[in-house]
Amino acid sequence: MYELIATSSFGLEAIVKRELNDLGLEVTKTDNGHIYFNGDAIDIARANINLRCADRVLINLKSFKAESFEELFDGIYELPWNDILDDDSNFIVEGRSHKSKLFSISDCQRITEKAIIKKLQMKHDISRFSKSSHRHRLEISLLNDIASITLDTSGDSLHKRGYRDKQVVAPLKETMAAALVKLSFYKKDRPFFDPFCGSGTIPIEALLIARNIAPGLDRDFDSMNFKFLNSDLYKKARMEAMEKIDYKSKVYIDASDISHKSIAIAKHNLENLGLSDDIRFFVKDFRDVDIKNNYGVMITNPPYGKRLEEDNLRSLYTDFGKKIKNLDTWSIYVLTSYEQIERDFARKADKNRKLYNGSLKTYYYQFYGKKPDK
């Protein structure tokens, strides 16, 4: 068993915890974008392949008190590095420090690497390590004089699903888009619409959820090459995920944008998934879209901030509010940093959740419509 950590954007911890529970994994604690859980080797593969809203899956190798560089060196040296790394492993040491006596990040990285090399030299009689083989991303983190050394099993961030090789200027991360869907009332039998879809990330993530397609099915992970993990575990986890895909259910997903270029990119990204017929992308100003009052779910990330001048912002959101005013059976969700949306909509949100889109603080405004008949 390993102590594992799923990392996420601030505000998404509860969603990632729910995802881990759905995988049959018990969360032991959550702390500022870190969700701790225990699992065996195949659970590492399952988490990487199936988590929609997490950024990475880490192995917590060790936590210990370190108020001096000697204590840091000894704590790192004690780990069985020859069981983790080969003599040519490309191990990279990153670092963080907060409220600790060892505040120099570069020195902590240097001491950590020195301790690892010293331990490896007990087995490999060489003075220089080529680091020419598979990547192993390590992080030494100090908080209140407690050092933690973690190994990243994901590699590239989990938001990189593989289908989005083209994007617009201000793209929304796939993990955040999936979280917006998870935080909504959307179910696969309800109509879905995004009137500011850009490169199509939100509707595509909604489709992956509706079809129960695991987000990491078509990508690789650094831990596939870890010597202490059997690569067949990923094959097994992928097969498990593929057996759960629902290709049969009918889905009703529409998405539009005023930009021809954005819609072309969205269609291209959908084609990369081989699901071109499952979303209707079209070019149109949201003001001109005909929306039927049929208990749909609208999730969108309209322009805000530097993307529009203040006067244009108010005009856009006022017109948006008029467009949805009579859609009383629709539940409407809007992610934006624009804080006057309730004024311009002339409507109080039923719920408002603070989320961070990268480093930008945004708000997820939720306007609930009438519930459909059971």
Side-chain angles (χ1 to χ4, degrees):
M1 297 295 289
Y2 299 90
E3 182 179 38
L4 304 170
I5 307 170
T7 65
S8 73
S9 297
F10 294 123
L12 301 186
E13 295 92 344
I15 305 173
V16 175
K17 179 181 178 179
R18 197 181 313 138
E19 288 189 287
L20 289 167
N21 291 157
D22 289 343
L23 289 173
L25 300 168
E26 184 178 356
V27 172
T28 56
K29 68 174 180 178
T30 60
D31 181 29
N32 292 331
H34 288 66
I35 303 92
Y36 293 77
F37 64 103
N38 295 321
D40 57 21
I42 195 168
D43 291 324
I44 295 174
R46 288 174 178 145
N48 275 312
I49 289 171
N50 290 283
L51 289 179
R52 299 183 189 277
C53 304
D55 293 325
R56 298 182 183 280
V57 177
L58 314 175
I59 300 174
N60 189 24
L61 297 175
K62 186 179 183 181
S63 294
F64 58 97
K65 190 170 184 178
E67 295 182 326
S68 67
F69 287 127
E70 182 179 4
E71 289 178 326
L72 178 62
F73 181 95
D74 291 343
I76 298 298
Y77 183 83
E78 288 175 357
L79 282 163
W81 290 108
N82 284 301
D83 294 335
I84 300 170
L85 303 172
D86 288 317
D87 62 345
D88 59 352
S89 295
N90 180 22
F91 65 95
I92 302 161
V93 180
E94 299 170 344
R96 289 186 295 141
S97 181
H98 184 62
K99 294 183 179 180
S100 297
K101 292 182 176 66
L102 301 180
F103 58 86
S104 172
I105 295 174
S106 59
D107 285 337
C108 292
Q109 291 172 277
R110 178 176 55 81
I111 294 297
T112 298
E113 182 164 350
K114 182 179 179 181
I116 294 171
I117 289 175
K118 193 75 173 178
K119 189 62 171 281
L120 291 175
Q121 286 176 329
M122 295 290 292
K123 178 179 180 181
H124 307 286
D125 187 22
I126 54 177
S127 58
R128 183 178 178 275
F129 292 82
S130 66
K131 295 189 177 184
S132 58
S133 189
H134 300 295
R135 179 174 62 179
H136 291 66
R137 293 180 54 172
L138 298 159
E139 182 181 76
I140 181 65
S141 172
L142 288 110
L143 176 63
N144 297 322
D145 296 322
I146 300 298
S148 296
I149 179 77
T150 58
L151 174 62
D152 182 359
T153 71
S154 303
D156 293 335
S157 174
L158 295 180
H159 82 269
K160 296 185 177 181
R161 319 288 208 215
Y163 66 78
R164 196 171 73 174
D165 56 8
K166 293 183 180 181
Q167 59 191 29
V168 294
V169 175
L172 188 71
K173 280 188 176 181
E174 294 91 329
T175 45
M176 179 60 76
L180 300 184
V181 179
K182 289 275 191 176
L183 287 167
S184 77
F185 291 150
Y186 175 64
K187 303 294 182 185
K188 61 187 176 185
D189 59 342
R190 297 186 68 174
F192 178 99
F193 180 47
D194 179 359
F196 302 94
C197 72
S199 57
T201 308
I202 296 176
I204 289 176
E205 289 297 321
L207 174 62
L208 293 178
I209 291 171
R211 291 268 181 246
N212 201 28
I213 299 174
L217 269 180
D218 294 325
R219 56 158 287 177
D220 293 331
F221 306 93
D222 280 6
S223 49
M224 293 169 63
N225 298 304
F226 288 178
K227 62 187 289 186
F228 60 92
L229 294 180
N230 188 331
S231 60
D232 288 341
L233 295 175
Y234 271 95
K235 295 178 183 178
K236 180 179 179 181
R238 288 186 204 278
M239 288 301 298
E240 290 175 352
M242 290 177 68
E243 289 172 358
K244 297 176 182 177
I245 296 176
D246 173 14
Y247 285 123
K248 296 181 180 179
S249 296
K250 180 70 176 176
V251 294
Y252 311 89
I253 300 178
D254 291 335
S256 67
D257 199 279
I258 198 172
S259 166
H260 287 265
K261 180 180 178 181
S262 294
I263 292 299
I265 292 173
K267 289 181 177 179
H268 172 82
N269 291 337
L270 185 60
E271 287 172 1
N272 285 339
L273 286 169
L275 299 169
S276 300
D277 296 332
D278 283 353
I279 300 177
R280 186 172 71 103
F281 285 114
F282 58 96
V283 179
K284 187 166 282 192
D285 189 311
F286 74 92
R287 300 171 183 87
D288 301 324
V289 178
D290 182 25
I291 306 175
K292 296 180 180 179
N293 207 3
N294 55 358
Y295 297 96
V297 173
M298 183 185 297
I299 305 176
T300 194
N301 176 220
Y304 51 82
K306 295 180 180 179
R307 292 155 72 183
L308 283 178
E309 298 294 334
E310 182 66 26
D311 290 344
N312 291 333
L313 268 176
R314 182 162 190 177
S315 175
L316 182 145
Y317 281 88
T318 299
D319 289 348
F320 189 14
K322 292 177 181 177
K323 186 68 181 180
I324 64 175
K325 182 179 180 180
N326 296 319
L327 297 176
D328 62 341
T329 69
W330 279 72
S331 289
I332 296 164
Y333 302 81
V334 184
L335 181 72
T336 179
S337 67
Y338 181 61
E339 297 185 14
Q340 303 302 323
I341 185 172
E342 292 171 309
R343 177 200 67 189
D344 296 346
F345 275 22
R347 180 178 177 183
K348 183 74 174 175
D350 293 286
K351 194 170 184 179
N352 181 8
R353 189 181 186 121
K354 181 165 65 176
L355 298 173
Y356 282 86
N357 183 12
S359 61
L360 179 64
K361 181 173 68 175
T362 60
Y363 298 92
Y364 194 38
Y365 293 91
Q366 304 173 45
F367 305 90
Y368 303 151
K370 295 177 182 178
K371 293 181 179 180
D373 296 331
K374 292 184 180 181

